Amino acid sequence: MSPIERARGAIGARFLLHGRCVAHGLDCVGLAGLAYGIAVPRGYALRGGRVAQVIAAAEAAGLVRVDDARVGDLLLLNAGAGQLHLAIASETGVIHADAALRRVVERPGVPPWPELARWRLKED
C-alpha cells in the first residue's frame, strides 16, 4: 500500500496529540508515521518545533528530500508562530490531522501554510 493510500485510510480518525493509531487518534506526526511506515518521535510540544530537527528526523527515517511535487509526498509546513505541521500531498490538496476540526481530513487546494520541505520514500 502506498503512503497516500494509508493516509486516506486514516481520514476521519480523531485528532489526538501524540496519537499513533487510527482507532485511538492521530496527530500530524502520527499520520506521517502511519502513511510512511516509519518510527516517529513522541513527547514533543504542539508548538516550538525546530525545522532542522524535523528535517534530520525525516532523513534518518529513510525519507529523501525532493524539490519536485508528487502525490504522496510528505510536506513540512509552517502553520504559524512556532508551529510546524506535516501533511501528505494528494491529487487535490493535502491529507492532514487538523487540530481545529479534531479529525484527519483531506483539505482541497493549496495549503494555506508555507512549505518548508518535502520528502518521499527512496525509490529502488
Side-chain angles (χ1 to χ4, degrees):
M1 196 179 306
S2 71
I4 191 72
E5 291 169 321
R6 287 192 288 274
R8 278 219 170 90
I11 291 174
R14 75 184 187 102
F15 177 88
L16 177 65
L17 183 61
H18 303 139
R20 296 296 181 263
C21 72
V22 173
H24 293 103
L26 296 163
D27 65 5
C28 67
V29 176
L31 178 62
L34 175 78
Y36 285 89
I38 57 175
V40 293
R42 295 181 181 270
Y44 47 83
L46 187 60
R47 295 188 188 277
R50 288 186 244 156
V51 173
Q53 190 175 27
V54 175
I55 289 171
E59 292 170 4
L63 299 178
V64 177
R65 193 157 177 194
V66 295
D67 293 321
D68 63 313
R70 288 191 199 166
V71 170
D73 287 350
L74 178 63
L75 310 178
L76 175 61
L77 305 166
N78 182 358
Q83 188 171 4
L84 302 176
H85 188 54
L86 296 171
I88 292 91
S90 72
E91 298 85 352
T92 61
V94 294
I95 299 170
H96 72 116
D98 191 312
L101 294 176
R102 309 297 299 160
R103 297 262 174 256
V104 174
V105 298
E106 186 163 4
R107 178 188 181 103
V110 175
W113 314 287
E115 183 178 313
L116 303 173
R118 174 182 291 262
W119 300 271
R120 69 180 62 115
L121 292 171
K122 183 179 180 179
E123 296 177 351
D124 295 321

